[in-house]
C-alpha cells in the first residue's frame, strides 16, 4: 500500500513540479504587508523542487513555504528502480522513533541527482526531511540553517 502510494505521489510530482516551482521561486512581497519575519520549520508537509534543485517544503502550521538549496551532485548515468518496500520502518529507525509514531507527509525527486526526498512527522509532531540516495541509503537532511521570510 505504501509503495503504490509513494509511486503515485512521485508520478504526480513529476507532472506538477515543473508548472509550479518557478512561480514560488519568483514570489515577491506584497506591498502594504507587514515586514518579513524569520520562522523555523514546524511541520514538513508537501515537497516540490525547482528545476535547479531548490527544495520547497510546505509548513501548514506556519502557513509558509521554506526553501532549502540542495547541494547539486552529478546526474547519474542511469536511473535504476528504487526499492522502497519497508521504507517507513527504515525511516523510523533513522529518526529513532517507533514506526507507529511516524507519518510520511510528502515526497519529491531531485531533478538533477534523482535522489528522493521525503517529509515526515514523528514523535510529538516534530518535522524531518529524509533523503534516499539512488542506491537506497537513507540520511536525515540538516534543517538547522533553514529560514523563511514570510509576509
Amino acid at each position: 500500500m505504501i509503495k503504490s502510494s509513494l509511486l503515485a505521489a512521485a508520478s504526480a510530482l513529476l507532472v506538477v513540479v515543473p508548472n509550479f516551482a518557478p512561480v514560488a521561486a519568483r514570489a515577491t512581497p506584497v506591498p502594504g504587508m507587514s515586514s518579513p519575519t524569520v520562522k523555523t520549520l514546524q511541520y514538513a508537509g508537501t515537497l516540490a523542487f525547482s528545476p535547479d534543485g531548490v527544495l520547497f517544503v510546505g509548513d501548514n502550521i506556519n502557513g509558509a513555504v521554506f526553501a532549502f538549496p540542495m547541494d547539486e551532485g552529478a546526474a547519474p548515468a542511469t536511473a535504476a528502480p528504487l526499492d522502497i518496500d519497508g521504507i517507513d520502518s527504515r525511516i523510523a529507525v533513522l529518526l529513532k522513533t517507533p514506526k507507529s509514531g511516524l507519518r510520511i507527509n510528502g515526497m519529491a525527486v531531485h531533478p538533477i541527482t534523482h535522489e528522493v526526498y521525503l517529509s515526515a512527522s514523528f514523535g510529538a509532531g516534530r518535522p524531518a526531511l529524509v533523503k534516499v540516495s539512488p542506491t537506497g541509503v537513507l540520511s536525515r537532511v540538516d534543517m538547522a540553517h533553514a529560514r523563511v521570510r514570510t509576509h
Side-chain angles (χ1 to χ4, degrees), residues 91-98 122 126:
I91 293 172
V93 169
L94 176 71
L95 300 176
K96 299 179 177 131
T97 192
F122 69 102
R126 296 184 338 198

Side-chain angles (χ1 to χ4, degrees), residues 65-78:
V65 176
F66 286 70
F68 293 83
M70 295 289 117
D71 293 333
E72 288 187 28
T78 60

Side-chain angles (χ1 to χ4, degrees), residues 1-99:
M1 177 68 178
I2 289 176
K3 182 176 182 177
S4 62
S5 296
L6 289 176
L7 290 174
S11 298
L13 282 172
L14 291 175
V15 173
V16 172
V17 170
N19 296 328
F20 291 107
V23 174
R26 289 180 291 193
T28 57
V30 176
M33 296 296 286
S34 62
S35 62
T37 58
V38 177
K39 296 184 178 185
T40 57
L41 186 69
Q42 293 184 27
Y43 177 83
T46 303
L47 302 177
F49 271 102
S50 69
D52 60 348
V54 174
L55 177 62
F56 295 99
V57 182
D59 181 338
N60 296 5
I61 294 174
N62 279 319
V65 176
F66 286 70
F68 293 83
M70 295 289 117
D71 293 333
E72 288 187 28
T78 60
L82 182 62
D83 182 14
I84 59 170
D85 282 337
I87 194 82
D88 51 347
S89 297
R90 294 177 52 210
I91 293 172
V93 169
L94 176 71
L95 300 176
K96 299 179 177 131
T97 192
K99 180 179 165 183

Side-chain angles (χ1 to χ4, degrees), residues 81-130:
L82 182 62
D83 182 14
I84 59 170
D85 282 337
I87 194 82
D88 51 347
S89 297
R90 294 177 52 210
I91 293 172
V93 169
L94 176 71
L95 300 176
K96 299 179 177 131
T97 192
K99 180 179 165 183
S100 62
L102 174 70
R103 181 178 186 129
I104 297 174
N105 302 320
M107 180 180 76
V109 178
H110 193 288
I112 299 168
T113 65
H114 298 231
E115 295 165 320
V116 175
Y117 286 76
L118 299 165
S119 61
S121 300
F122 69 102
R126 296 184 338 198
L129 293 175
V130 176

